Amino acid sequence: MKKMAKIKTWFISKKLKQKIRYLFAFIIVAYFLIFALIYEFVIKDSLQENISKSNYNTLISIGNGLTGEFQNIGTMGRLIMSSQEVIDYLKSDQGADSVSAYNAVTSIYYTATSFDNISSIYVFKDNGEYIKISNGITTVYKGVMEDPDWYGPVEKKSGANLVMVDGNGAFSQASGESVLSFVRVFNDIQTQKPIGKLVINCSLNMLRDTWREMAGDGKKFAYFHKKDQLLCGDAEFEEMELNVADSGDNPRNMRSGAGSFTYYYAIPGTPLAVAEHEQIRYTEYISTQILVIAMLIVLVTAASFFTISWFINRFITRPVESLVGSMEEVKSGWLKRVSMKLPDDEIGRLKNSYNDMLVEINSLIEELLEKEKTMQKAELEALQEQIKPHFLYNTLDTIAYLALENPREEVYDSIETLGNFYRKFLSKGSREISLRDEVEIVRDYLKLQKLRYEDIFEDEYDIQESLLDMKIPKLILQPLVENSLYHGIRPKGEKCLIRISAYEKDDEILIKVYDTGIGMAQSRIDAFMKGDSKSYGLRKTIERIRCYYGREDVYEIRSQEGYYCEVTIKIPSGGEAETYVQSHDHR
Amino acid sequence: MYRVMIIDDERALRSLLKKTIDWEELSLEVVGEAASGIEAINIIDEIRPDIVFVDIRMPFMDGIEFSKLAIQRYPKLKIIVLTAFDDFTYARECIGIGVADYLLKPIVRTDIQQSLKKILAQLEQEKGQDKNEDTEDGKDLRMKSIKEYIEGHFDDPELNLKSVADNFGFNSSYFSRKFKEEIGRSFIDYLTSYRMEKACRYASRGELMYITAKLVGIPDPNYFGKCFKKYYDVSYSDFMKGERSAKKTTVSD
């Protein structure tokens, strides 16, 4: 199970292309395995059966041939027994070298010439005399024939042939080869009384002739006498231990394996059995038709695999790969749309959705960039436009005058204020600042302005204690105060009040700059809200606050022309800026 | 001795400039100062400066506006712009107007001295060229029409002795002298008192000071306040308070 899981993870981890390849390889292997199994268990069996059947038929036809030969021998016997000359010889008392003997031999000889494979023919009188014809030299051991064990079974046959090998030891050929002896009692044709014995010895070629036409092609034959005595055939049959205890009338498969088959057939009506050994290569037995079909199937399958593989590669893998390639460019920076041509299928639609998504993302990014740009521009402008070196230069001149004119204490105080103001004002370049520090900036700023413009205003502060450590975007208060001073108080020409207050109300933090300057006419307020106004610094500040908090409603202006003006900055409680701005800060 | 006027909205700067430069050594004399362009236009005919230091960023009438007007009316006037703005557009504008020099704050004495020396040399050169301009016209002033003109234009902040003299075709110093002979007061006294009388009416109507200032042609409420106090010996706000209580008493009476 663990292994299976391992294989599964391995397979899943592969690329689509590889997956398909592995899958195809697996299918092809499975295909061949099934083919092999079919061959092994179905085709081979039926092949074996076929081979066996054909071999049985061969053996039966060989058996039939032999039975035919045996009948021929029987016929020959009857011909000899019906020969008057032979009967005369048997009935006469004359010896083997008599005329009647000579006549009998001649008659036998004539009969014999029309049969093949006759080695020798003997006709015995009961007294042991005999006549013979012989092809080659044959020795007779008459002593053997006098044994009742020998002649008993012959007489029992009462006229039928008893087949023996070498006449059970009564005959031997000079050539050393065994002969097949057909021994029978010689009955007088008229009286049907035994008058002698007839022995026809056949050469083993008679047996060989029966398989001559079948042999070859890896087929070998052999004859056994009394089931297990090898008569003729190849030596390899000698080594065979044939289990022939049960010998039916049908041929039997004795042994098969490793492409070799051995069949055995006890030929009915004879003491002989024929055996066949065949060495087979199965391939030879698979018909070309089957082979062609099999090859075709393999080819068609392979072709299908290639087609499917090509199709998958062409319409799925490659488009997906190039799509992935295109998509990976996104990592390297700009979100480029995929412009390659894809068919209008699922993958094409995937591309389209991806592109749509990119367009969406791009516009979002652009929006963010635009926002960020506006923000940065506003900040930069705030720095460049609002507190501006000229403030420093002017203040330096003021302090220079103080140094020439006034007690040293005052000069020191001014320089300290100026230093403090600029340190907080620059605040290490960070974007956020605590309300405490921002108020401090304003305080110092107004202190320095008082030095410059003398006694034209009073400043008051009313800041809710708990808000002092709240972070706010830097320099949102100072521009408002500057605006009050230059556009509200100085044009009035009278002593005015600036009051800065901050407090929390209804989930909002309100930071107010109130002055008793000339105020603004409603028409000017409206113009400012619409965006066309000369209050450049104020508007930029509002823009910055909007960007920072990501909301539109961040300020309010209330005024009575000639009497007062109050600008209120409204920021969400908790002061949560938009996340992107904050994350930006941590760079 | 050439005459120097300093125009800057910061008293500290004006004082610093007076104190830190050795004017006598340059044979110069600081004869007057103004806290705004408006004030300067009003008093320039009395002060009759040869050289003017002027700041750019001032309320009601900035240094550039003033310079334009001043050079138009007093072509010989040498104007030194003294500003904390190191701004190319300003500098170009000033040069275009015909400003003599453009200096930056915080002030550096040697820069100012060099600039003054250069300007003094120019003044010396010009002195020889137009000596006979100071001739008298000999014409009589038609006081009635001049008074009408002032009454018709008193709310114009740019109105001053020079502009009136020019309008009636007089040499300004002749006009000044003749005006004083005829009326018994200087032109500026006459104009200011006329404006203050008007202002008094606005004050009794309850107008805020900065609005009254605008209405009577002194849109710089600081200078207006100064004039008002000088004229009535009481500040505008106190004057208004007095008016209001007076009204109340008349109503209750």
Side-chain angles (χ1 to χ4, degrees):
Chain A
M1 280 314 273
K2 245 183 186 174
K3 214 163 195 181
M4 276 303 286
K6 232 179 192 174
I7 289 171
K8 204 177 158 192
T9 20
W10 170 82
F11 184 73
I12 287 168
S13 72
K14 292 290 154 192
K15 281 185 178 175
L16 186 60
K17 212 168 165 181
Q18 285 172 314
K19 269 182 196 154
I20 288 163
R21 277 183 193 155
Y22 285 122
L23 201 65
F24 279 178
F26 175 76
I27 289 171
I28 284 173
V29 167
Y31 199 83
F32 277 106
L33 221 64
I34 289 166
F35 204 74
L37 286 175
I38 288 172
Y39 172 78
E40 184 66 27
F41 293 107
V42 182
I43 295 180
K44 206 166 158 192
D45 267 14
S46 77
L47 263 179
Q48 262 179 21
E49 210 172 297
N50 277 344
I51 290 165
S52 295
K53 220 173 249 173
S54 93
N55 281 325
Y56 294 162
N57 289 338
T58 307
L59 288 180
I60 287 168
S61 82
I62 288 172
N64 289 343
L66 189 74
T67 312
E69 289 296 329
F70 275 33
Q71 279 167 359
N72 286 343
I73 302 292
T75 307
M76 191 167 77
R78 276 191 297 280
L79 282 173
I80 291 168
M81 283 192 296
S82 58
S83 159
Q84 198 55 53
E85 288 84 1
V86 179
I87 294 169
D88 286 349
Y89 163 72
L90 285 176
K91 283 185 175 172
S92 74
D93 297 331
Q94 287 163 345
D97 42 0
S98 64
V99 178
S100 67
Y102 177 77
N103 288 339
V105 168
T106 311
S107 166
I108 290 167
Y109 186 78
Y110 277 118
T111 308
T113 49
S114 42
F115 294 92
D116 293 326
N117 299 324
I118 302 302
S119 175
S120 57
I121 299 170
Y122 289 79
V123 178
F124 290 93
K125 282 186 180 174
D126 283 338
N127 62 3
E129 278 181 29
Y130 63 90
I131 55 171
K132 65 156 187 182
I133 61 167
S134 181
N135 183 10
I137 300 157
T138 310
T139 317
V140 183
Y141 305 101
K142 279 205 275 182
V144 177
M145 296 173 70
E146 283 158 11
D147 190 339
D149 279 351
W150 189 91
Y151 64 78
V154 177
E155 286 172 356
K156 252 190 210 164
K157 281 275 193 178
S158 57
N161 275 323
L162 184 67
V163 183
M164 302 176 212
V165 176
D166 288 339
N168 271 0
F171 303 95
S172 84
Q173 269 195 309
S175 64
E177 204 189 40
S178 293
V179 291
L180 209 56
S181 306
F182 295 82
V183 185
R184 64 190 290 178
V185 175
F186 201 124
N187 287 328
D188 182 0
I189 203 163
Q190 271 122 31
T191 61
Q192 285 300 318
K193 293 240 169 91
I195 48 176
K197 288 189 180 68
L198 173 65
V199 177
I200 301 169
N201 288 325
C202 292
S203 125
L204 293 181
N205 283 340
M206 183 186 81
L207 299 180
R208 291 190 186 102
D209 281 349
T210 59
W211 74 58
R212 195 170 308 269
E213 284 169 13
M214 320 284 188
D217 264 354
K219 286 183 180 179
K220 285 170 182 161
F221 295 90
Y223 271 104
F224 289 87
H225 179 241
K226 299 227 166 118
K227 295 178 181 172
D228 56 358
Q229 183 195 351
L230 182 65
L231 265 184
C232 63
D234 279 286
E236 60 184 299
F237 283 98
E238 278 176 31
E239 289 155 22
M240 278 184 195
E241 290 166 12
L242 296 173
N243 180 12
V244 291
D246 169 40
S247 58
D249 278 347
N250 293 320
R252 294 197 309 126
N253 186 355
M254 297 300 294
R255 179 185 307 172
S256 58
S260 94
F261 297 86
T262 308
Y263 302 94
Y264 178 86
Y265 178 42
I267 300 162
T270 72
L272 299 182
V274 64
E276 185 192 350
H277 180 81
E278 187 172 14
Q279 197 75 32
I280 290 173
R281 301 229 307 279
Y282 285 117
T283 45
E284 289 170 14
Y285 280 82
I286 297 169
S287 76
T288 44
Q289 229 172 355
I290 288 173
L291 264 178
V292 165
I293 288 169
M295 288 308 291
L296 265 177
I297 289 171
V298 168
L299 274 175
V300 167
T301 311
S304 320
F305 279 177
F306 276 120
T307 313
I308 292 168
S309 178
W310 177 83
F311 185 86
I312 289 172
N313 193 35
R314 170 74 180 73
F315 290 103
I316 299 171
T317 321
R318 245 191 297 158
V320 167
E321 264 179 5
S322 39
L323 203 57
V324 166
S326 280
M327 286 173 177
E328 270 177 358
E329 283 178 28
V330 171
K331 282 187 203 157
S332 65
W334 188 236
L335 306 177
K336 213 171 72 190
R337 273 191 288 164
V338 181
S339 61
M340 87 191 123
K341 241 186 170 175
L342 285 175
D344 191 22
D345 54 13
E346 286 83 347
I347 291 174
R349 265 184 280 150
L350 178 65
K351 182 198 81 174
N352 290 340
S353 329
Y354 176 75
N355 280 347
D356 289 348
M357 189 185 75
L358 275 195
V359 168
E360 191 66 22
I361 289 174
N362 273 337
S363 71
L364 279 175
I365 285 177
E366 260 169 65
E367 216 171 90
L368 285 182
L369 274 180
E370 206 48 54
K371 220 169 173 182
E372 182 67 2
K373 259 195 229 160
T374 317
M375 184 96 173
Q376 281 181 346
K377 209 174 139 205
E379 273 173 2
L380 201 68
E381 278 164 355
L383 284 171
Q384 285 180 339
E385 277 298 318
Q386 286 163 22
I387 310 258
K388 44 244 166 170
H390 72 87
F391 177 73
L392 174 66
Y393 302 152
N394 280 324
T395 309
L396 281 175
D397 274 342
T398 309
I399 294 171
Y401 167 70
L402 285 178
L404 287 175
E405 199 76 350
N406 289 19
R408 287 173 187 175
E409 197 94 352
E410 205 178 330
V411 177
Y412 171 75
D413 192 42
S414 327
I415 292 173
E416 188 185 56
T417 307
L418 184 66
N420 196 37
F421 169 76
Y422 268 100
R423 191 181 57 239
K424 290 232 164 62
F425 174 73
L426 298 170
S427 63
K428 285 186 231 153
S430 79
R431 185 178 274 176
E432 283 165 328
I433 192 171
S434 69
L435 181 61
R436 185 196 306 279
D437 283 347
E438 181 76 17
V439 170
E440 198 69 18
I441 285 176
V442 167
R443 214 189 281 270
D444 286 342
Y445 174 74
L446 288 179
K447 196 169 167 187
L448 293 168
Q449 290 292 37
K450 258 188 209 166
L451 282 181
R452 290 178 63 198
Y453 299 120
E454 299 162 86
D455 214 15
I456 62 167
F457 63 87
E458 288 291 331
D459 46 340
E460 276 180 19
Y461 303 88
D462 178 17
I463 313 292
Q464 190 179 316
E465 193 71 28
S466 60
L467 298 176
L468 280 174
D469 291 318
M470 181 184 69
K471 291 281 180 194
I472 54 166
K474 184 170 122 184
L475 295 184
I476 59 170
L477 208 44
Q478 188 276 334
L480 303 188
V481 171
E482 183 175 333
N483 198 60
S484 280
L485 182 60
Y486 282 98
H487 301 292
I489 293 168
R490 289 195 73 205
K492 197 163 181 184
E494 289 170 280
K495 191 157 182 175
C496 293
L497 172 71
I498 295 185
R499 186 168 62 231
I500 289 132
S501 56
Y503 56 92
E504 198 166 1
K505 188 189 172 194
D506 299 339
D507 288 343
E508 275 187 330
I509 289 159
L510 306 179
I511 302 174
K512 292 187 171 179
V513 175
Y514 169 88
D515 71 73
T516 57
I518 59 167
M520 285 167 97
Q522 193 54 46
S523 60
R524 265 197 70 203
I525 296 176
D526 292 344
F528 176 81
M529 307 247 266
K530 266 185 227 149
D532 38 79
S533 144
K534 281 181 224 157
S535 300
Y536 189 74
L538 186 59
R539 210 172 61 246
K540 285 286 157 194
T541 305
I542 298 293
E543 231 164 72
R544 245 172 350 112
I545 296 167
R546 275 184 179 152
C547 268
Y548 186 87
Y549 290 105
R551 61 184 230 174
E552 278 299 297
D553 179 29
V554 294
Y555 77 104
E556 200 180 294
I557 299 175
R558 297 198 307 131
S559 176
Q560 187 185 351
E561 198 179 4
Y563 294 95
Y564 78 93
C565 181
E566 184 182 68
V567 179
T568 307
I569 300 295
K570 301 191 284 183
I571 59 179
S573 201
E576 73 272 22
E578 287 209 324
T579 34
Y580 89 93
V581 176
Q582 279 181 341
S583 66
H584 207 88
D585 266 358
H586 297 305
R587 284 191 304 197
Chain B
M1 285 288 239
Y2 287 100
R3 299 162 72 82
V4 176
M5 183 184 185
I6 302 170
I7 310 169
D8 197 297
D9 57 345
E10 285 181 61
R11 191 176 62 84
L13 190 279
R14 300 197 299 269
S15 308
L16 179 69
L17 203 55
K18 277 197 282 189
K19 241 188 146 74
T20 196
I21 303 290
D22 190 348
W23 301 100
E24 269 179 58
E25 191 197 83
L26 293 161
S27 61
L28 289 170
E29 191 185 358
V30 179
V31 289
E33 56 189 82
S36 74
I38 299 296
E39 185 177 355
I41 287 292
N42 275 282
I43 63 174
I44 194 166
D45 293 310
E46 284 203 317
I47 290 166
R48 289 176 288 114
D50 300 297
I51 299 169
V52 169
F53 283 90
V54 65
D55 188 13
I56 289 184
R57 286 257 177 127
M58 292 183 297
F60 322 112
M61 177 186 276
D62 69 25
I64 290 173
E65 270 176 85
F66 170 80
S67 300
K68 260 188 215 164
L69 192 67
I71 287 168
Q72 182 200 322
R73 289 188 186 172
Y74 315 97
K76 285 186 283 179
L77 188 64
K78 301 295 174 200
I79 296 177
I80 299 173
V81 169
L82 189 57
T83 178
F85 288 89
D86 187 4
D87 187 314
F88 179 71
T89 358
Y90 278 156
R92 195 178 51 188
E93 215 173 332
C94 290
I95 302 301
I97 291 165
V99 156
D101 210 345
Y102 188 91
L103 296 178
L104 292 175
K105 288 179 190 172
I107 58 177
V108 179
R109 281 170 291 180
T110 49
D111 285 359
I112 291 176
Q113 280 160 358
Q114 268 176 13
S115 177
L116 285 172
K117 277 176 188 160
K118 194 179 74 190
I119 287 165
L120 279 171
Q122 278 178 23
L123 283 171
E124 284 300 324
Q125 212 179 351
E126 286 165 14
K127 206 176 172 183
Q129 291 171 2
D130 40 30
K131 262 196 175 150
N132 47 355
E133 224 186 71
D134 228 18
T135 50
E136 289 182 7
D137 280 3
K139 269 198 274 174
D140 280 341
L141 270 63
R142 287 172 289 127
M143 283 316 296
K144 202 182 165 213
S145 57
I146 288 169
K147 275 182 179 173
E148 275 170 5
Y149 181 82
I150 291 170
E151 280 159 24
H153 292 85
F154 78 97
D155 57 347
D156 176 6
E158 293 179 4
L159 186 79
N160 69 356
L161 182 135
K162 173 72 174 162
S163 69
V164 176
D166 285 352
N167 192 60
F168 287 94
F170 289 109
N171 171 293
S172 59
S173 51
Y174 173 77
F175 179 81
S176 173
R177 204 169 58 239
K178 271 290 189 192
F179 192 93
K180 206 167 179 178
E181 279 171 18
E182 293 277 342
I183 307 287
R185 278 193 286 174
S186 70
F187 176 84
I188 186 70
D189 273 356
Y190 177 80
L191 176 61
T192 308
S193 60
Y194 185 81
R195 280 172 167 166
M196 289 308 119
E197 276 157 28
K198 287 272 176 203
C200 183
R201 257 180 266 167
Y202 287 123
S204 55
R205 254 166 40 191
E207 284 293 358
L208 288 168
M209 181 171 83
Y210 80 97
I211 291 169
T212 304
K214 232 180 271 178
L215 290 172
V216 300
I218 310 178
D220 173 0
N222 300 300
Y223 178 56
F224 171 83
K226 220 154 78 182
C227 295
F228 192 90
K229 180 136 193 224
K230 202 171 152 195
Y231 195 78
Y232 291 108
D233 217 14
V234 60
S235 76
Y236 186 84
S237 51
D238 288 345
F239 180 83
M240 269 219 313
K241 270 179 214 158
E243 278 291 304
R244 230 174 280 150
S245 53
K247 253 183 200 167
K248 263 180 201 163
T249 47
T250 43
V251 167
S252 61
D253 275 352

